[in-house]
Amino acid sequence: MFLRGAVLAGSFGSLLTLAAAAGLSGRLDRMHGAEGVARYPVPRREVIQAIATGFDNLLADSFWLQFLQYNGEKLTEDLATRRYEHLWEGLTLIIGLDPHFRDAYLFGSWVLGDAGDGKRAAELVASGARRHPTDPRYPFQLGFIEFLYRKDLPAAIQAFQHCASLAARRREDHNLWLSATRMAAGLSLRRNQRQTAIAIWRSLYQKSRELGDDRMAQIAERALERLGVNVMDIVKG
Amino acid sequence: MDDNALVVDASDLTKIYPAQIGQPAKVGLSGLTLQVARGETFGLLGPNGAGKTTAQKLFLGLMRPTRGAVRIFGGRPEDPRVRTKIGFLPENPYFYHYLTGAEFLRFCGGLFGLPAKVLAERSANLLQLVGMTGAQRVQLRKYSKGMLQRIGIAQALINDPDLVLLDEPMSGLDPVGRRELREIILGLKRAGKTIFFNSHILSDVEDVCDRVGILLNGQLVALGSVPELLAGGQSLEDFFVKVVSAERPGADPRRGER
Amino acid sequence: MRKIWDLAENTFRETIRDRVLNVSLLFALAMLGASVLLGTLSIGQDQKIVRDLGLAAIEFFGVAIAIFIGTSLLYRELDQRTVFIVLAKPVARHSFLLGKFCGLVATLTVLLALMTLAYVVLLLALRAFELPLLWAVALLWVELLLLVGLSLMFSTFASPVLALVYTFSLYLTGNNLDGLKALARNARPLVKVLAEGAYYLLPNLGHLNIKNQVVYGAPFSLGQWGLALAYGGCYTAFVLLLAVGIFARREF
């Protein structure tokens, strides 16, 4: 009898304490919420690097996931109320730990640009491009940053052209090649530089002929026609 | 006495445990001079902490003497070749609990480099000798204290040793076990083995030992054959109590030596 | 040789039946599974994250087991007085120590193989497998040998807890030696000599860690890999010699 009572009291007590704990936890959550936005703390890069113990990539991954969790959400928020924190510190921490973290450069530059810091967005992508000089994705992104956030058309055109020259080398980058060429040519037109646009399309056309890429050549041909250039003239020289 | 017949030859064997933080230096064994001849059964008696285990560890090279030396079969105990002829049962043995009795014996025999066939045969015989054949496939973690003592004796004999060192072999055994062990020791004696064992229980040594020594605070205070020591018609126990209670540090340790 | 083999086999049996091992293996596999979930959170870099996290999990559990079991291995023999049984037999001190070493290494090899198998299967399923990852695992194996050697060496004279602290500290320092080299560059002459000396004397585990490079399938030279392998082997041999030297003088 006594034993049963003890078991009963114990079960009841454990349920009660568990419920109390859950209630307190919820209350603590609300208190955090009341203090305002959740913080995105960024530790000092030197400290983290000094204690990384060879797990640099793992730490970069975890800081990246944290970055996304905090700042990725903001991208979907209302423009007027959007407030970013420590973007530059967070991103340089991640690429300091893992200099090959592609998305930290590419996606990170979008977020920086979106936060109104086009200068640093360009700086970030450019540093990625320096570390990966043969990867066309970096100049491609740089072109967009220059164009959209810094409104620097000559720099954007230069970046897209650089991208196109890199992308032309590898078959799997052909779509990138095409897109970069289109952007370069389109932006040149926007600057009233019809001749530049024609030159860009013409070089794409010639190169795709050389490579035997009919689809690319066709796209270039049509673009040139729209600009009033007959492909046959090019072929003739 | 022919030197070649000496199995244990200790001279001035001394072990002083160095001082440690909060502990002064401690004398483990002090100037033990002792010879044990081939085929002899020797019992080293003394209360706990008298230095009996220290002596056996020095005989096995598990410790190095602070002063003096010991020769076993004329060689140094640090030499592994010397130890091929020794069997040793430590006090309160507690073996690899994840092994079965048979696995444990195979492991021990392997350390002597015994060929598999000899090992299998000898294991079977020894298991039978110590009455553990039924438990050979049971893991040692399930063994009782007495069973561990029995398997410990079996492992001490796995190499068919010429010298058997037994440290408190009777502890943990029930009266039946004690009588069986006594039989085993007598059997070894008949086979011409040299046996050296430590005990603080006098009745253990009385009827099997050719000679006994009494160790007190690291010093050998009496040495001789059982009849010699008991010349006055007293029991060994009386003698022992007399020696221990007298605690005469100046006693001649070589008293009664042949 | 046969004695070392027998002792190794016994140690292997002892450690492979250790419950800690099963629990760790379970955790490692759970962590590999979790890496897939985390990867999906990462918008486009999921393959990289699964590769990183998997290698990190393998290293973490391998190192933890090497150090934890390695530092308690000798203590168990002393505590349970089995060392008396073994060393009273014609077993040289160095054979005993090398047997313990080889036995634990065998256990770790099995553990590492199981974790790597799970990792490779997972990556193949995700089409994220790169061959150089296995090279990183091979160097990790060498790192584990070195850590087992260090654990044994420290436990020849220190208590298990202290040996654990020493070995783990060396693991941390050994992986962060770049800082020491940087210190040496900008320091006053005396400090410079000390820092540089420490840099070359301490085990540079950074040499055995290529996991940050291989996840990108980045080209790295086979020569560098071979040198790293040789470095780990030499240092392990050095530590084992040291351990044997201390253990041979020890009394029981």
Side-chain angles (χ1 to χ4, degrees), chain A residues 29-91:
Chain A
D29 283 346
R30 279 195 297 282
M31 277 172 79
H32 285 306
E35 272 178 21
V37 281
R39 304 265 311 153
Y40 169 56
V42 178
R44 282 189 52 198
R45 202 176 103 193
E46 295 80 7
V47 177
I48 295 298
Q49 272 178 316
I51 59 170
T53 316
F55 289 98
D56 303 60
N57 273 12
L58 184 75
L59 288 169
D61 292 347
S62 77
F63 285 120
W64 175 244
L65 290 174
Q66 200 187 359
F67 179 89
L68 284 181
Q69 204 187 354
Y70 184 74
N71 294 303
E73 249 173 41
K74 303 257 159 180
L75 281 175
T76 59
E77 278 176 17
D78 208 18
L79 243 176
T81 59
R82 233 183 261 180
R83 254 187 66 232
Y84 294 106
E85 271 182 81
H86 307 306
L87 287 183
W88 177 249
E89 290 82 357
L91 289 167

Side-chain angles (χ1 to χ4, degrees), chain C residues 97-123:
Chain C
L97 209 63
L98 288 181
K100 296 256 100 177
F101 175 79
C102 294
L104 180 52
V105 164
T107 298
L108 284 168
T109 307
V110 170
L111 179 80
L112 200 63
L114 286 175
M115 291 195 293
T116 308
L117 185 72
Y119 179 56
V120 170
V121 167
L122 182 73
L123 289 185

Side-chain angles (χ1 to χ4, degrees), chain B residues 111-134:
Chain B
L111 296 181
F112 283 102
L114 296 180
K117 204 173 150 224
V118 176
L119 184 50
E121 203 175 303
R122 213 174 274 170
S123 297
N125 289 343
L126 284 172
L127 283 167
Q128 198 171 16
L129 181 71
V130 297
M132 294 293 290
T133 309

Side-chain angles (χ1 to χ4, degrees), chain A residues 136-179:
Chain A
R137 281 168 294 197
Y138 292 91
F140 191 68
Q141 176 71 3
L142 184 61
F144 278 108
I145 297 291
E146 296 288 3
F147 168 49
L148 289 173
Y149 297 117
R150 304 188 77 192
K151 318 280 183 214
D152 186 343
L153 289 189
I157 294 166
Q158 202 193 348
F160 282 124
Q161 280 186 301
H162 181 48
C163 168
S165 73
L166 291 175
R169 289 179 199 165
R170 294 202 320 172
R171 184 132 210 114
E172 59 262 45
D173 288 334
H174 270 28
N175 282 327
L176 203 58
W177 178 24
L178 184 60
S179 309

Side-chain angles (χ1 to χ4, degrees), chain C residues 7-241:
Chain C
L7 286 159
E9 192 190 349
N10 190 40
T11 306
F12 176 72
R13 214 180 326 218
E14 172 189 353
T15 48
I16 205 92
R17 290 181 191 173
D18 204 317
R19 275 192 206 95
V20 180
L21 203 76
N22 300 329
V23 174
S24 306
L25 193 61
L26 218 67
F27 266 105
L29 297 181
M31 215 163 135
L32 279 173
S35 69
V36 181
L37 282 178
L38 278 175
T40 56
L41 290 177
S42 72
I43 319 180
Q45 294 252 282
D46 49 331
Q47 293 198 337
K48 164 193 157 35
I49 288 190
V50 175
R51 271 182 246 156
D52 280 346
L53 204 63
L55 272 186
I58 292 174
E59 171 165 344
F60 180 79
F61 287 103
V63 166
I65 293 203
I67 298 185
F68 271 100
I69 299 189
T71 50
S72 66
L73 214 49
L74 282 185
Y75 176 74
R76 272 190 236 178
E77 294 270 357
L78 294 175
D79 187 47
Q80 304 181 356
R81 277 170 288 170
T82 43
V83 71
F84 298 150
I85 298 277
V86 176
L87 290 182
K89 294 184 171 32
V91 174
R93 298 277 173 101
H94 67 264
S95 306
F96 180 73
L97 209 63
L98 288 181
K100 296 256 100 177
F101 175 79
C102 294
L104 180 52
V105 164
T107 298
L108 284 168
T109 307
V110 170
L111 179 80
L112 200 63
L114 286 175
M115 291 195 293
T116 308
L117 185 72
Y119 179 56
V120 170
V121 167
L122 182 73
L123 289 185
L124 284 175
L126 295 171
R127 295 178 191 287
F129 180 70
E130 303 266 3
L131 196 62
L133 292 172
L134 293 183
W135 298 18
V137 173
L139 281 188
L140 171 61
W141 184 75
V142 177
E143 181 174 349
L144 295 185
L145 298 197
L146 180 46
L147 288 173
V148 172
L150 283 173
S151 304
L152 281 177
M153 191 268 285
F154 284 126
S155 53
T156 54
F157 60 87
S159 71
V161 177
L162 281 180
L164 185 82
V165 171
Y166 297 152
T167 313
F168 191 66
S169 310
L170 268 189
Y171 171 71
L172 289 182
T173 2
N175 266 301
N176 295 304
L177 279 181
D178 290 346
L180 200 63
K181 207 175 193 182
L183 178 76
R185 260 200 301 278
N186 313 314
R188 282 177 297 149
L190 179 68
V191 181
K192 192 185 170 88
V193 168
L194 287 176
E196 234 161 36
Y199 176 80
Y200 285 109
L201 287 180
L202 292 171
N204 194 339
L205 299 177
H207 288 329
L208 302 177
N209 175 16
I210 54 167
K211 62 179 182 297
N212 295 323
Q213 286 101 291
V214 292
V215 287
Y216 292 103
F220 67 95
S221 81
L222 209 62
Q224 184 202 339
W225 184 79
L227 277 181
L229 215 64
Y231 172 78
C234 280
Y235 208 101
T236 307
F238 160 70
V239 170
L240 283 177
L241 284 172

Side-chain angles (χ1 to χ4, degrees), chain B residues 17-237:
Chain B
Y17 297 108
Q20 283 176 329
I21 304 159
Q23 260 181 320
K26 189 173 159 275
V27 176
L29 196 63
S30 169
L32 176 72
T33 298
L34 178 71
Q35 278 102 30
V36 179
R38 189 168 300 247
E40 201 177 359
T41 302
F42 187 91
L44 193 57
L45 288 170
N48 292 327
K52 303 184 302 277
T53 300
T54 303
Q56 288 202 349
K57 283 182 177 177
L58 288 165
F59 293 175
L60 286 161
L62 290 171
M63 277 181 186
R64 278 185 307 277
T66 315
R67 200 175 66 227
V70 62
R71 302 229 146 222
I72 307 288
F73 298 110
R76 287 158 45 81
E78 288 84 4
D79 182 352
R81 281 171 304 177
V82 168
R83 298 199 298 267
T84 53
K85 292 190 271 183
I86 308 179
F88 173 55
L89 170 69
E91 190 179 359
N92 296 329
Y94 182 71
F95 306 121
Y96 302 102
H97 54 74
Y98 48 89
L99 295 182
T100 67
E103 280 173 341
F104 177 59
L105 285 189
R106 199 178 319 132
F107 168 68
C108 288
L111 296 181
F112 283 102
L114 296 180
K117 204 173 150 224
V118 176
L119 184 50
E121 203 175 303
R122 213 174 274 170
S123 297
N125 289 343
L126 284 172
L127 283 167
Q128 198 171 16
L129 181 71
V130 297
M132 294 293 290
T133 309
Q136 60 173 312
R137 288 187 213 297
V138 178
Q139 280 197 341
L140 297 182
R141 71 172 88 238
K142 292 183 185 133
Y143 276 30
S144 70
K145 210 173 166 215
M147 290 163 88
L148 285 173
Q149 196 74 18
R150 284 161 186 262
I151 202 79
I153 290 155
Q155 67 80 30
L157 301 177
I158 192 79
N159 55 329
D160 190 21
D162 292 331
L163 168 64
V164 187
L165 295 174
L166 305 168
D167 196 358
E168 301 283 0
M170 302 292 189
S171 74
L173 292 178
D174 54 23
V176 179
R178 277 162 195 255
R179 201 174 62 213
E180 283 173 2
L181 180 58
R182 192 167 303 143
E183 287 308 312
I184 291 171
I185 291 173
L186 289 172
L188 291 170
K189 202 171 163 176
R190 277 195 297 276
K193 310 292 184 193
T194 311
I195 303 161
F196 187 111
F197 72 89
N198 290 347
S199 183
H200 65 278
I201 297 164
L202 307 162
S203 54
D204 291 348
V205 294
E206 218 161 357
D207 37 339
V208 290
C209 288
D210 301 322
R211 273 199 308 156
V212 290
I214 296 177
L215 208 55
L216 201 59
N217 296 328
Q219 286 191 321
L220 193 64
V221 293
L223 181 68
S225 67
V226 177
E228 268 169 15
L229 291 179
L230 306 183
Q234 58 194 338
S235 75
L236 186 57
E237 188 152 3

